[in-house]
Amino acid sequence: MGNLMDLADFPRLQDLILLSTNVTGDIRDIREDDFPALESLDLPRTVHGGMYYEFQRVSDVPSLMHTIHLLLQRIPTLFENGWLSSAFGWRLSVDSPDWYDEGICVTCCPLPPFNLKIVQVGSRRGWSWCTFRDGHSCEINWLDPEPSRESSDYEAYTEDLQRIEQRIDFYRGYHEPPTEQQYRRLCRL
């Protein structure tokens, strides 16, 4: 037991693997000068932003994604790629006031997009809300600017982006999960 930040001042700490612990804390508390030698990080769900963390509010996500982005700019290999793309198994908690699922017809509509994923297109990173199984996504919330049209990898970027944006269909126009009322209206269309 203890707080993640209790370990921030260890100058030689390279691997912080705390998955099997009950450490608490918030990944958003990590500042640029904390964990100066850190190379890899695995945190339990008891840490805000740890593996399989469940968000209490949709509005809590942008600040956490910004923190993850800053950490990756500082230490690009900080997280294992498989976990990074699946956004560490993050999702909206069923106890959240933003959650709804009563009376949803799964044969009529995709499930609400209450899971998260991190999107990497070329050098550009963003994140999106998505459904758990059927691959429907909300619009991408970009953390990086679009690459310059003059850059050498712009053509490859646009091709990858088109492929990813094809999966944004049912939730096109939504950057976060629709409210229950909006969702039910979408299902009636």
Side-chain angles (χ1 to χ4, degrees):
M1 196 74 167
N3 189 292
L4 159 72
M5 297 310 294
D6 294 341
L7 303 169
D9 293 327
F10 287 79
R12 293 190 181 147
L13 185 63
Q14 293 180 315
D15 299 310
L16 191 54
I17 313 299
L18 300 171
L19 284 177
S20 303
T21 70
N22 288 325
V23 71
T24 60
D26 190 327
I27 200 168
R28 295 173 298 182
D29 292 338
I30 299 176
R31 301 291 171 240
E32 191 172 331
D33 55 341
D34 294 329
F35 303 105
L38 197 61
E39 294 176 2
S40 66
L41 181 64
D42 285 322
L43 300 172
R45 71 175 12 159
T46 52
V47 172
H48 187 97
M51 302 289 274
Y52 302 108
Y53 182 76
E54 294 185 351
F55 291 89
Q56 294 305 308
R57 309 268 323 164
V58 167
S59 60
D60 292 341
V61 175
S63 63
L64 185 98
M65 289 299 191
H66 178 73
T67 297
I68 295 296
H69 185 60
L70 292 176
L71 286 168
L72 286 167
Q73 286 178 327
R74 184 177 124 197
I75 312 163
T77 59
L78 187 60
F79 305 106
E80 191 178 305
N81 279 339
W83 284 116
L84 184 60
S85 62
S86 65
F88 312 98
W90 293 333
R91 55 179 279 171
L92 186 66
S93 171
V94 296
D95 298 326
S96 167
D98 299 327
W99 178 275
Y100 52 88
D101 69 353
E102 193 162 318
I104 290 176
C105 173
V106 294
T107 59
C108 309
C109 275
L111 291 171
F114 292 149
N115 290 70
L116 288 154
K117 67 180 178 179
I118 294 177
V119 178
Q120 182 84 38
V121 182
S123 61
R124 192 176 191 198
R125 186 176 294 122
W127 60 276
S128 177
W129 288 95
C130 61
T131 59
F132 179 66
R133 289 198 173 98
D134 52 11
H136 294 277
S137 294
C138 290
E139 300 281 351
I140 299 168
N141 298 283
W142 291 109
L143 298 164
D144 291 313
E146 185 174 52
S148 165
R149 293 181 186 271
E150 288 79 38
S151 70
S152 60
D153 63 341
Y154 185 77
E155 187 175 329
Y157 161 77
T158 57
E159 289 172 10
D160 285 349
L161 181 60
Q162 286 175 346
R163 181 181 46 76
I164 289 170
E165 286 184 335
Q166 287 176 350
R167 290 183 240 150
I168 303 169
D169 51 8
F170 191 79
Y171 296 110
R172 185 164 300 281
Y174 290 90
H175 283 84
E176 61 184 36
T179 64
E180 183 173 8
Q181 182 180 11
Q182 291 169 327
Y183 175 79
R184 294 195 186 282
R185 198 172 327 124
L186 281 170
C187 289
R188 283 192 296 257
L189 296 177

